[in-house]
């Protein structure tokens, strides 16, 4: 069992990111935690549904309605709702928590796309829908153990990976220099930051978090490439003189954070 496999991913912006795969141990523990929470949720639903069903049957009996097929309908509806609760639990949390469920958050692992970007509803839903098949006869476990990228069927179909969360020195790696802070104040007047998508911001953040672990030449090349592409995205004519690519990326990060804090109130 390979708990410390690493994988290098290339984003559409040609940024190389390295992640540590979650490993079968962490994924099993996270799933066990999620199944306990989900089990309590399902038990609670079935208790409420049973009380509702008994009350409905009693009402139909007193009203002299024919309800011979009602139990089958109630059972079918309950099974359908249970299925939606099962799949919805994983899809809901992985979307709102950017690839994490309560179990994954406790074990510090996360689902990401194959290119390192955060997953969306389509990826989370596909993983959730295929989870029962992965659980059947432990098919998913065999795929995880035998594959180099430790993917189960849901991961292959959705194009996702499960990795260890890389928090590390988060404050240190996201230190914003003074020139970048000043540029972040002026940037909304010089460029159209509304063109930045959450995925663009995620790439900038990922680079700033990991730049200190990169080789100098590789970091310089990547920062220059990313700065050039972002300048085009936000329609900035030219990067201000004496501004390094890293300072520009820091400024974009800071300005986007400030806009998000204001709820993008300056959108047209």
């Amino acid at each position: 069992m390979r708990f410390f496999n690493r994988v290098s991913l290339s984003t559409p912006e040609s940024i190389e990111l390295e992640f540590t795969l979650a490993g079968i141990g962490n994924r099993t523990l996270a799933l066990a935690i999620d199944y306990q929470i989900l089990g309590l949720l399902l038990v609670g639903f079935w208790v409420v549904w049973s009380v509702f069903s008994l009350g409905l049957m009693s009402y139909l009996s007193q009203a002299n309605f024919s309800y011979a097929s009602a139990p089958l309908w109630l059972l079918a509806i309950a099974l359908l709702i249970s299925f939606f609760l099962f799949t919805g639990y994983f899809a809901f949390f992985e979307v709102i928590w950017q690839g994490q469920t309560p179990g994954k958050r406790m074990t510090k692992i996360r689902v990401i796309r194959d290119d390192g970007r955060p997953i969306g509803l389509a990826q989370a839903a596909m993983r959730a829908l295929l989870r029962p098949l992965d659980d059947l006869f432990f098919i998913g476990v065999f795929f995880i153990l035998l594959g180099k990228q430790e993917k189960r069927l849901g991961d292959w179909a959705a194009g996702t990976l499960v990795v260890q969360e890389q928090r590390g020195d988060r404050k240190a790696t996201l230190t914003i220099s003074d020139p970048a802070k000043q540029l972040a104040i002026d940037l909304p007047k010089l460029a159209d930051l509304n063109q930045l998508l959450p995925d663009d911001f995620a790439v900038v953040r990922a680079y700033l978090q990991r730049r200190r672990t990169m080789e100098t030449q590789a970091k310089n090349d990547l920062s220059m490439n990313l700065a050039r592409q972002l300048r085009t995205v936000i329609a900035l004519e030219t990067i201000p003189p004496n501004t390094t690519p890293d300072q520009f990326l820091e400024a974009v990060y800071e300005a986007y954070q400030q806009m998000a804090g204001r709820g993008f109130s300056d959108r047209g």
Side-chain angles (χ1 to χ4, degrees):
M1 292 186 291
R2 302 178 297 274
F3 291 96
F4 301 105
N5 279 354
R6 298 184 70 83
V7 60
S8 295
L9 306 177
S10 179
T11 72
E13 293 79 11
S14 300
I15 302 297
E16 290 289 337
L17 304 177
E18 189 176 53
F19 297 90
T20 302
L21 296 176
I24 188 65
N26 287 331
R27 294 182 69 165
T28 300
L29 178 58
L31 187 59
I33 295 171
D34 285 325
Y35 274 165
Q36 290 184 37
I37 298 173
L38 186 56
L40 292 175
L41 179 63
L42 289 172
V43 168
F45 163 72
W46 277 94
V47 169
V48 173
W49 189 259
S50 297
V51 172
F52 167 77
S53 298
L54 290 174
L56 178 61
M57 298 294 290
S58 176
Y59 169 78
L60 293 175
S61 177
Q62 294 176 8
N64 294 322
F65 285 112
S66 175
Y67 58 92
S69 61
L72 289 177
W73 278 104
L74 290 170
L75 177 60
I77 294 172
L79 290 174
L80 184 62
I81 294 176
S82 296
F83 175 76
F84 281 119
L85 286 175
F86 178 86
T87 56
Y89 171 88
F90 292 98
F92 173 77
F93 281 112
E94 287 182 358
V95 169
I96 67 169
W97 283 353
Q98 295 186 327
Q100 288 187 311
T101 59
K104 289 184 178 68
R105 176 165 287 195
M106 293 179 68
T107 54
K108 295 182 173 59
I109 62 177
R110 182 184 300 275
V111 184
I112 60 173
R113 299 187 201 181
D114 283 341
D115 61 3
R117 295 174 183 265
I119 68 170
L121 179 58
Q123 292 79 29
M126 180 62 70
R127 298 183 80 255
L129 288 172
L130 289 179
R131 183 172 293 280
L133 183 59
D134 276 310
D135 290 347
L136 183 65
F137 303 123
F138 301 102
I139 292 175
V141 173
F142 287 111
F143 271 86
I144 292 172
L145 290 174
L146 298 177
K148 291 183 179 180
Q149 293 185 319
E150 300 180 356
K151 291 188 173 192
R152 62 178 178 86
L153 289 177
D155 291 315
W156 284 111
T160 56
L161 290 167
V162 184
V163 299
Q164 294 184 22
E165 196 169 22
Q166 299 184 7
R167 294 181 179 179
D169 264 345
R170 195 178 185 98
K171 291 183 178 179
T173 55
L174 285 182
T175 298
I176 307 298
S177 62
D178 290 336
K181 291 179 180 177
Q182 182 57 49
L183 178 57
I185 296 175
D186 300 332
L187 204 54
K189 305 173 186 177
L190 303 174
D192 185 7
L193 294 179
N194 290 326
Q195 297 302 316
L196 273 179
L197 298 176
D199 280 355
D200 298 323
F201 173 74
V203 171
V204 174
R205 180 180 58 195
Y207 167 75
L208 294 177
Q209 288 173 345
R210 296 173 176 83
R211 56 183 169 174
R212 291 191 177 183
T213 65
M214 299 178 181
E215 294 182 0
T216 302
Q217 187 59 48
K219 183 185 78 68
N220 292 340
D221 292 343
L222 291 174
S223 63
M224 180 71 73
N225 185 30
L226 184 55
R228 186 182 301 115
Q229 294 187 46
L230 283 178
R231 181 178 65 82
T232 301
V233 170
I234 63 177
L236 180 65
E237 290 188 5
T238 182
I239 296 177
N242 301 321
T243 301
T244 66
D246 268 30
Q247 290 172 344
F248 174 67
L249 295 175
E250 291 173 3
V252 171
Y253 173 88
E254 183 75 5
Y256 187 92
Q257 287 277 69
Q258 293 173 3
M259 289 180 63
R262 297 194 301 270
F264 294 89
S265 59
D266 56 342
R267 285 186 183 270

